[in-house]
Amino acid sequence: MADDAVNTPSTAAPLTVAVIGSGPAGFYTAGALLEQSGVPVRVDLYERLATPWGLVRAGVAPDHPKIKAVASVYAVTAADERFRFFGNVEVGRHVSREELVARYDVVVYTVGAQGERRLGIPGEDLPGSVPAVDVVGWYNGHPDFADRAPDLSGRRAVVIGAGNVALDVARILCSPVERLAATDIADHALDVLRASTLEEVVVVGRRGPAQAAFTTAELRELPEFTGSAVDVDPAEVEAQPGEEKLSRLILRNLAILRGYAAASQSAAGPASAGRRRMALRFLRSPVEIRGEGRVAEVVFARNRLEVDAEGWVSAVDTGEREVVEADLVVRAVGYKGLPLVGLPFDERRGIIPNDAGRVAGADREYVAGWIKRGPTGIIGTNRKCAVETVATLLADVAEGRLAHHPGAGGVDPVGEAESWLRERQPDLVTEAGWRLIDAAERASGEPAGRPRVKLTTLGALVDTALNRTLTV
Ligand code: NAP
């Protein structure tokens, strides 16, 4: 972040910024604003849930504590006296976008991509076919998904998609429960996983192994985490078209997949005794999900790859069909951003159109994270994304495009916003309230050596934050 002094708005009062959404993009935006010294700022971070951190709490898999450790960076931001957390406040319900724009000099939307991409095939909504967002939210104790337990009473689960979310879901479904029991996975998920009768989880990609969106660490850890070999068909991972031009990341992934394929061929076979088998399959697109009243099988089209003049590799239906029995289908084909009332929206990409973070056609409104660029990249990608947005915002200040507007201009900022919000949402959760939740969860995890035991209902979270007697 450039530290150069810029023309601050006309008064010495700090620039007041509301950031909407407290996931990685929200915290990195707040952090980048507070770290720079050219423009005095105050940041209020609004969050629909009672807890901060977005996907770091509710998306990152519970068996990936190292990825979650990034939350300590967010805690540093939250400790800044120019920062406030306003949790359990929904924009569009408790407060409107217009009110925020009227009260703050700047509003930055970092709301992520809360929708799911659809397959658009018959049978997609049969009972037993569920979006990965439900399963991830469920095992991570997100209050909105606590009752979305997938039915694990069958034999085979098919996970559609070849990205990291597909691997997360497959790995959690295959992992020994005693391993998961040491994590912060929701207790309700542990109970269901303990009773699971699944024997096999098959992850299916529509293109080839070289086009899969897995990152190497996530692919490599599978046998160690699940305690079982990973079944890969050697024929599917042999020499790939244009292999000499593939990136190092993809070549590393191919080497891992070939190692799995070789082990699958060995005398020991793919499944270790008592463990669930995980299989990775490629070049298959689901064309129909069938069953009488619930999922029984998935019809896949067998694909071949076609490379266009720009080098883009697409899957082309060969006309051949394959029917795979399935008791559960998890659709892990990506997230999708949702529109925000009053802001422009690009339906196809699921983003708010913007120029380096400045919302198209808007004056004092910005975006960062998945709602700015689409649901791609790892947690850290959002840092770069937020830094770019903040640089745009500061450049706008420097060019005089962001003078304090009447009604905001640092008139509030301390105190008044809080009483305004409490009128709208008596169960407002502030940073102090979140610290009570955090302490309570960590304390209940401690006896079992777990990082925390999550509170998974809004009632329990709010009661803890407000130090009320727990409602049952
Ligand atoms: P993703 O990486 O975009 O993967 C989506 C997968 O779904 C792709 O394989 C895609 O295939 C496939 N797909 C899309 N439409 C399909 C269709 N109609 N039929 C069949 N397959 C279809 O999305 P994601 O897995 O949801 O992950 C989102 C982001 O979060 C990614 O950037 C990911 O790396 C990140 N993430 C990271 C971690 C981690 O670092 N541990 C964990 C979870 C998520 P095509 O390529 O052919 O479109």
Side-chain angles (χ1 to χ4, degrees):
M1 182 72 40
D3 268 356
D4 312 353
V6 290
N7 298 327
T8 47
S10 50
T11 74
L15 190 79
T16 58
V17 183
V19 178
I20 317 302
S22 71
F27 265 102
Y28 289 129
T29 299
L33 282 164
L34 295 170
E35 275 161 29
Q36 57 80 41
S37 51
V39 178
V41 291
R42 297 191 60 92
V43 180
D44 287 347
L45 183 52
Y46 285 78
E47 169 58 53
R48 182 175 73 84
L49 298 178
T51 52
W53 304 347
L55 285 182
V56 167
R57 179 174 166 100
V60 173
D63 57 349
H64 279 164
K66 282 194 193 141
I67 300 181
K68 284 174 194 259
V70 70
S72 63
V73 174
Y74 309 154
V76 171
T77 299
D80 192 301
E81 58 177 19
R82 298 163 296 165
F83 172 96
R84 289 182 298 189
F85 174 70
F86 293 138
N88 204 20
V89 180
E90 187 171 347
V91 176
R93 180 173 165 217
H94 300 106
V95 298
S96 70
R97 165 188 163 250
E98 289 76 12
E99 286 174 312
L100 291 171
V101 171
R103 282 177 167 264
Y104 290 86
D105 292 320
V106 178
V107 182
V108 186
Y109 304 93
T110 53
V111 294
Q114 301 185 45
E116 41 151 329
R117 239 191 247 155
R118 302 275 298 166
L119 290 172
I121 60 171
E124 181 166 12
D125 294 316
L126 271 177
S129 164
V130 297
V133 61
D134 282 19
V135 182
V136 171
W138 165 74
Y139 64 58
N140 273 323
H142 187 307
D144 292 357
F145 301 96
D147 61 352
R148 305 276 175 95
D151 182 347
L152 306 183
S153 64
R155 203 183 67 74
R156 180 187 287 138
V158 169
V159 181
I160 295 170
N164 282 330
V165 170
L167 285 191
D168 278 352
V169 169
R171 192 181 67 250
I172 295 294
L173 293 181
C174 284
S175 288
V177 173
E178 60 276 17
R179 191 165 209 284
L180 298 176
T183 72
D184 69 358
I185 192 169
D187 277 352
H188 57 230
L190 270 184
D191 294 342
V192 175
L193 287 163
R194 213 170 259 127
S196 166
T197 56
L198 288 180
E199 292 167 18
E200 186 182 48
V201 179
V202 189
V203 176
V204 187
R206 65 177 167 183
R207 297 191 288 161
Q211 291 75 44
F214 310 138
T215 45
T216 307
E218 280 59 34
L219 196 55
R220 188 186 287 129
E221 73 194 7
L222 293 173
E224 184 199 332
F225 278 46
T226 62
S228 180
V230 180
D231 181 35
V232 172
D233 179 351
E236 291 184 3
V237 293
E238 61 194 19
Q240 298 297 304
E243 185 157 337
E244 62 292 345
K245 291 192 224 128
L246 294 175
S247 70
R248 277 166 56 188
L249 179 146
I250 292 172
L251 290 174
R252 276 199 304 266
N253 284 1
L254 279 175
I256 294 167
L257 289 166
R258 285 171 184 155
Y260 292 161
S264 307
Q265 292 298 89
S266 76
S272 317
R275 300 292 192 215
R276 293 188 181 104
R277 194 175 87 118
M278 190 192 299
L280 304 181
R281 293 286 180 268
F282 299 97
L283 293 170
R284 290 165 175 86
S285 285
V287 290
E288 186 177 0
I289 300 175
R290 295 198 295 223
E292 290 294 318
R294 63 161 292 112
V295 167
E297 57 191 29
V298 186
V299 184
F300 284 101
R302 296 298 306 263
N303 297 329
R304 63 182 167 77
L305 296 178
E306 214 169 81
V307 188
D308 71 11
E310 271 96 57
W312 177 256
V313 182
S314 40
V316 179
D317 186 352
T318 62
E320 192 188 328
R321 296 289 178 265
E322 182 179 283
V323 178
V324 175
E325 280 180 27
D327 304 294
L328 170 70
V329 173
V330 182
R331 309 182 309 262
V333 295
Y335 294 92
K336 192 158 191 259
L338 299 177
L340 282 172
V341 177
L343 290 174
F345 192 65
D346 179 335
E347 276 292 342
R348 195 183 57 81
R349 298 180 61 200
I351 61 161
I352 294 176
N354 66 90
D355 179 12
R358 187 192 308 110
V359 173
D363 250 359
R364 297 179 285 112
E365 290 170 286
Y366 296 80
V367 280
W370 280 5
I371 197 64
K372 169 184 170 190
R373 63 173 206 280
T376 58
I378 56 173
I379 301 287
T381 315
N382 294 296
R383 181 164 192 282
K384 199 166 158 246
C385 184
V387 165
E388 181 195 55
T389 294
V390 170
T392 304
L393 192 164
L394 294 176
D396 287 350
V397 174
E399 286 166 23
R401 294 168 67 156
L402 264 186
H404 285 311
H405 78 99
V411 176
D412 157 52
V414 191
E416 203 268 331
E418 208 167 313
S419 48
W420 168 62
L421 286 173
R422 281 191 198 287
E423 273 168 31
R424 301 296 178 84
Q425 170 53 296
D427 288 345
L428 179 72
V429 175
T430 60
E431 179 63 21
W434 156 243
R435 284 210 205 100
L436 290 176
I437 295 173
D438 190 38
E441 289 186 340
R442 286 180 198 275
S444 35
E446 211 178 318
R450 300 175 65 185
R452 67 175 69 237
V453 173
K454 283 181 181 170
L455 297 169
T456 60
T457 65
L458 182 61
L461 287 161
V462 170
D463 285 348
T464 305
L466 304 186
N467 217 354
R468 291 196 293 234
T469 315
L470 288 189
T471 47
V472 186

